[in-house]
Amino acid sequence: MPDTPSETAPVIVGDEPGSFPHGVLADRHPAIVRQVREAYPYDPGRRRALDALLVNCTEGVIEPLPADAHDRDRWAAWGMTEYAGRSWFDVPWLWAESYFYRRLLDAVGHFAPGAWQGIDPFRPAKLTELDAPETSEELAALDQLADRPADDQLRALLHGSLWGNRADLSFRLSTTGAGDGGDVRALVADDGDTLLSLLSGGDAATLCLVADNAGRELVPDLLLVAHLLAHGRIGRAVLHVKPHPYYVSDATTADVLDALRRLIAAGGAAQEYGRTLWAALTDGRVTVRAHPFSSAPLPYADMPADLRADFAAATVTVLKGDLNYRRLVGDRWWPPTTPFADVTAYFPGPVAALRTLKSDVITGLDEDTEAALVAGEGQRWRTSGTHALIQVRT
């Protein structure tokens, strides 16, 4: 691991065989192309385009967007002009991943006039997860919390949002006392109490929640927002989602609506939460936003002025998930003990990260925690998804 001062930590690229980023580019991206190819009965032209992308993303070089692409100028400003003609493995990993998904949407005709315009290539997988029996079990667990004090419910929902599709474990842990073991001990950093104190501002408080995945990971996020509203801990929430399909399962506005319908159809406590959200959307207490920069291949340090103003107006901005963490702190080989407050000092207001660790980047660990993780797991703890963090910079 590079031993580099934090201010010169190198950007992560995927050029090293055997590394996690290289595996994503060489193996995961081709697998995603194959999955998408079978998700719908695409016509021969779309199938040929997908086949061409599969070859290009592993053996070819980065090609510019077509001349008539609606966002060609935007992507040129985001680095397309600089990186065109280079190997996918030799440019910043965050950029290469993001551009892969943009080219995938081109291949399936997502933006082009025609029958496939606007169709989400990942929607079948998203709906399968949302309708899975495990989702029903997690929603039913809400009924077990109904008689618990509101603060216990809140902590359970916070950990449900943190762990995403392992929310059922978090519900049980939180109702028996967080800190007793299990998943709570898998937190490598825990500023949960600080975050909850920020989420107690009453009607004057605004939460910006930058969502991560759809399906079983978006549902707990919506439950958390609904609880905060219903119990008067915040007066307003702004939910930031992607403007188009991205990173397979990243949430769009359509995914928010699917999750909301799933809550209402579930009955019990889940239905009540769903109705709370429905009412809040109709009266403006909850707003859904899909800013173009939400799917940019750049860190949030480069955010445009209008998005900066949005975050600055919030009582706290919570960024969910691994990709948003990479964009928040910068997708670099930071020494793990680099202070989280230092790398997020640019952010316009209090900011929190809720993240399950699924990539190499990490900041804000104390030396003992890092040493224990390395001694027990080598470097696997960075990418295994078995550890998580709650970090806050006030």
Side-chain angles (χ1 to χ4, degrees), residues 39 48 158 176 201 292 316:
R48 285 193 297 270
L158 175 64
T176 57
V316 60

Side-chain angles (χ1 to χ4, degrees), residues 3 7-8 15 19 36 125 138 154 163 180 220 238-239 243 252 254 257 311 315 318 335 373 384:
D3 184 14
E7 64 271 16
T8 58
D15 60 347
S19 68
V36 167
E138 290 161 7
L154 176 59
W163 286 104
D180 294 339
V238 182
L239 181 64
T252 65
L257 299 177
F311 292 147
T315 305
V318 175
L373 289 166
S384 64

Side-chain angles (χ1 to χ4, degrees), residues 63-133:
E63 299 174 353
L65 290 174
D68 60 351
H70 74 283
D71 54 351
R72 181 184 170 94
D73 290 346
R74 181 181 297 148
W75 272 94
W78 286 347
M80 182 181 68
T81 303
E82 177 183 356
Y83 298 134
R86 296 174 62 179
S87 167
W88 293 83
F89 297 87
D90 293 337
V91 304
W93 181 44
L94 174 63
W95 197 95
E97 279 197 288
S98 297
Y99 195 60
F100 165 78
Y101 287 102
R102 176 61 185 85
R103 295 313 305 253
L104 182 64
L105 294 182
D106 257 356
V108 298
H110 182 81
F111 294 118
W116 295 101
Q117 187 175 32
I119 300 298
D120 183 347
F122 310 120
R123 183 169 172 78
K126 291 176 177 178
L127 292 180
T128 296
E129 180 180 286
L130 193 60
D131 294 335

Side-chain angles (χ1 to χ4, degrees), residues 300-303 308 327-330 334 338-352 363 392-394:
Y300 275 102
D302 296 334
M303 75 181 86
R308 175 176 288 273
R327 297 186 67 198
L328 175 65
V329 305
W334 300 111
T338 303
F340 178 74
D342 288 358
V343 295
T344 59
Y346 72 89
F347 202 87
V351 63
T363 67
V392 178
R393 193 223 72 209
T394 57

Side-chain angles (χ1 to χ4, degrees), residues 2 23 38 67 80-81 83 142 145 154 161 169 192 199 211 232 267 269 277 307 367 369 374 378:
E38 302 306 317
M80 182 181 68
T81 303
Y83 298 134
L142 289 169
L145 289 177
L154 176 59
S161 179
L169 296 177
L199 295 172
L277 287 169
L307 187 58
E367 292 182 358
T369 297
V374 172

Side-chain angles (χ1 to χ4, degrees), residues 166-213:
R166 297 166 68 185
D168 57 329
L169 296 177
S170 298
F171 289 148
R172 290 197 293 270
L173 283 166
S174 296
T175 55
T176 57
D180 294 339
D183 276 352
V184 174
R185 274 197 275 182
L187 288 175
V188 299
D190 186 4
D191 295 335
D193 288 341
T194 302
L195 177 56
L196 292 178
S197 70
L198 291 171
L199 295 172
S200 59
D203 288 344
T206 296
L207 165 66
C208 270
L209 179 63
V210 182
D212 184 33
N213 292 329

